[in-house]
Amino acid sequence: VHRADDWYQNQLIRAKEISWTSKGLTQHEDGTSYHEEEATNNVESKSSETIETAESEISSAQEARSVLQKSHLIVGLHCDQAAGEIVDFASAKNIPWCVVPCCTYSEMFSFRKLADGTRVTSYDHLVQWLQERDPRAKVTTLDMEGKNKVVYTLP
């Protein structure tokens, strides 16, 4: 339990260090980043789009586990490295889930392979890989620009 709590606390610290802009993270997996001035100007010019954060936070691994086990739906929106774990956890607990994946992180997750053995190296591969993780999974396209596929299961 102590190792899980230590790991969880380290992840909270890392998460708090992430810098967001109106366009997303300041740095992406491919190393490209947005210019701070451009990000600041975009946020200032769109004052109605203020990004607010919740004041409450889950402060221990035990509390996080309890919340997740009581959940009736697990959602991952642009969940980056957690996409596979969301699917695996929810599927194992028979909890409906939906994931809108974005970044592939193919170098970090070089072990990810499609059913036919193809290495997951693209967005379409990632969507297929997530769908292959649960036989109940379906895919649909959201009516929005950008990475707009949602992989999900129904109750």
Side-chain angles (χ1 to χ4, degrees), residues 79-89 112 126 129-130 133:
C79 48
D80 292 334
Q81 297 99 322
E85 284 72 16
I86 289 170
V87 171
D88 291 347
F89 175 82
R112 289 179 174 171
L126 179 59
W129 181 78
L130 291 168
R133 301 194 69 70

Side-chain angles (χ1 to χ4, degrees), residues 70-88:
K70 293 176 189 173
S71 296
H72 297 280
L73 174 68
I74 308 289
V75 177
L77 177 60
H78 190 42
C79 48
D80 292 334
Q81 297 99 322
E85 284 72 16
I86 289 170
V87 171
D88 291 347

Side-chain angles (χ1 to χ4, degrees), residues 32-154:
T32 61
S33 58
Y34 295 115
H35 299 286
E36 286 297 320
E37 183 179 320
E38 178 185 339
T40 302
N41 290 340
N42 285 338
V43 171
E44 288 171 1
S45 67
K46 297 178 181 180
S47 59
S48 64
E49 295 181 21
T50 303
I51 301 168
E52 294 187 25
T53 59
E55 292 300 319
S56 64
E57 105 180 0
I58 296 172
S59 58
S60 73
Q62 184 177 5
E63 185 181 356
R65 190 176 308 108
S66 175
V67 168
L68 286 170
Q69 290 177 336
K70 293 176 189 173
S71 296
H72 297 280
L73 174 68
I74 308 289
V75 177
L77 177 60
H78 190 42
C79 48
D80 292 334
Q81 297 99 322
E85 284 72 16
I86 289 170
V87 171
D88 291 347
F89 175 82
S91 296
K93 299 292 184 181
N94 202 28
I95 300 170
W97 55 268
C98 66
V99 172
V100 180
C102 187
C103 302
T104 305
Y105 290 95
S106 59
E107 294 300 316
M108 181 181 288
F109 294 107
S110 58
F111 59 86
R112 289 179 174 171
K113 303 254 191 288
L114 299 177
D116 68 3
T118 303
R119 193 166 160 254
V120 175
T121 58
S122 70
Y123 174 71
D124 288 333
H125 285 161
L126 179 59
V127 169
Q128 182 180 345
W129 181 78
L130 291 168
Q131 185 178 17
E132 289 177 355
R133 301 194 69 70
D134 188 327
R136 304 167 301 152
K138 301 173 187 278
V139 176
T140 194
T141 303
L142 301 172
D143 186 20
M144 62 181 214
E145 294 181 26
K147 307 294 187 191
N148 60 356
K149 301 237 172 130
V150 59
V151 188
Y152 66 96
T153 60
L154 297 172

